[in-house]
Amino acid sequence: MMEAPDKTQLKPYDYKIDGVDNDGSAVRKIYAKASGYVIYRTDSSIRIDMGDDNPKLNEYASNHYKIGVDLARIYSWLPENLSGSEPINKQIARAMATNVAGNFDDAKKMLTHAEERIIKLKTIQGRLQYTSSAFVLVVVIFIISSIIPAGDSEIFTKVMLCGALGGILSIAVGFTNLSIDIDANWQTNSLIGGSRILIAITASLFSYFAIKSDIAFSFVNKIESNYGIYMIAMVAGFAEMLIPNIMNNLAKENERHNNTKT
């Protein structure tokens, strides 16, 4: 017959790295251990376990509940696997230990600083994901343009490539100002980054058609080579508001023309 599993509750000093806690989760890191409590980390959370027989149990629990809201907010922003955010994990654990000891104000300051660090970390990660996806799309377009044979299709794809290069240049110049939702995952950030290049390509194609139809940038047609077209395509991909402004001006001009006719 199989032996019944041991239901004995672990005491704080019984916790060991690579062991399991009272919930059966693997203990990956121990930050603080005392006779009345232990603060440790599993793969996905930072926890505190208090000894049931400790005379200060109620005091420790009451102190811990004071930062419950702050911890809940911070936990919602931490990655699912905490192994990659260990410096921040240590600060959160230090704040928990400080709070259990009764220093609520100091613990609050530590958690506020930890929250700021999480926001900065997730913002940088989001911007890198955004930029990386945009760069990959530009590389794909470059490969496509390099294998297209000479002719009208070649000009068309090179206009797209120039627009994409303008878009990636715009992203690089404004990297520190990229707006990132810290709740977004890497797929969302990548899709947004890729869409920025698609918008840049669309703008470059519009500029190409505008040149060919003499609606805008007609001076480029006076240049024998296609470099003028490529330059305008890159500028259109770089300057996000260039093409929308041209379209608005065309719409206003058309509206004035219709009003004059009536």
Side-chain angles (χ1 to χ4, degrees):
M1 294 179 61
M2 294 182 59
E3 295 183 1
D6 186 6
K7 298 294 184 180
T8 303
Q9 291 290 305
L10 293 174
K11 303 295 183 182
Y13 274 114
D14 294 332
Y15 278 73
K16 297 179 180 178
I17 296 176
D18 294 330
V20 295
D21 63 8
N22 285 317
D23 293 330
S25 299
V27 177
R28 299 305 183 192
K29 193 83 173 178
I30 296 177
Y31 301 108
K33 186 186 289 188
S35 59
Y37 64 89
V38 58
I39 299 173
Y40 63 98
R41 175 178 69 78
T42 65
D43 289 324
S44 58
S45 63
I46 302 169
R47 300 179 177 179
I48 181 170
D49 194 6
M50 303 177 188
D52 294 337
D53 56 353
N54 189 276
K56 292 187 175 182
L57 174 62
N58 292 334
E59 179 186 343
Y60 289 163
S62 177
N63 289 341
H64 184 63
Y65 294 149
K66 291 179 181 179
I67 59 172
V69 174
D70 301 278
L71 289 176
R73 184 173 61 254
I74 289 174
Y75 288 162
S76 68
W77 289 338
L78 285 171
E80 291 184 6
N81 191 328
L82 297 180
S83 59
S85 58
E86 192 55 34
I88 297 175
N89 300 340
K90 290 179 180 178
Q91 183 161 348
I92 295 171
R94 194 176 297 115
M96 293 169 67
T98 301
N99 183 67
V100 167
N103 301 317
F104 172 73
D105 291 337
D106 291 339
K108 183 81 172 178
K109 292 177 183 177
M110 292 180 185
L111 290 177
T112 299
H113 184 233
E115 186 174 333
E116 293 172 354
R117 293 177 66 185
I118 293 172
I119 293 173
K120 288 180 180 179
L121 175 64
K122 297 205 71 173
T123 299
I124 292 174
Q125 289 176 341
R127 287 172 178 168
L128 289 174
Q129 293 160 359
Y130 182 111
T131 305
S132 298
S133 64
F135 181 77
V136 168
L137 187 54
V138 171
V139 171
V140 171
I141 296 170
F142 174 78
I143 294 173
I144 293 174
S145 66
S146 64
I147 61 178
I148 295 294
D152 291 338
S153 297
E154 180 189 22
I155 297 175
F156 199 71
T157 54
K158 286 190 175 178
V159 166
M160 295 173 61
L161 175 60
C162 288
L165 290 173
I168 196 68
L169 181 60
S170 176
I171 292 173
V173 170
F175 181 83
T176 57
N177 296 320
L178 288 176
S179 180
I180 298 294
D181 183 357
I182 62 173
D183 288 324
N185 53 29
W186 71 267
Q187 294 97 330
T188 302
N189 292 327
S190 298
L191 286 173
I192 296 173
S195 68
R196 172 64 185 86
I197 299 302
L198 294 178
I199 293 171
I201 291 171
T202 303
S204 67
L205 291 176
F206 181 91
S207 69
Y208 175 72
F209 296 138
I211 292 170
K212 288 301 182 180
S213 60
D214 282 334
I215 292 177
F217 313 117
S218 57
F219 64 91
V220 176
N221 287 323
K222 299 177 183 179
I223 303 175
E224 293 183 3
S225 66
N226 292 322
Y227 291 115
I229 294 175
Y230 299 151
M231 181 198 71
I232 296 298
M234 184 173 288
V235 171
F238 177 83
E240 297 182 7
M241 294 307 299
L242 176 63
I243 297 305
N245 287 339
I246 292 175
M247 297 179 71
N248 287 334
N249 291 335
L250 290 174
K252 291 177 181 178
E253 184 177 337
N254 184 61
E255 184 179 353
R256 285 196 299 267
H257 179 70
N258 292 335
N259 291 336
T260 301
K261 290 176 62 177
T262 56

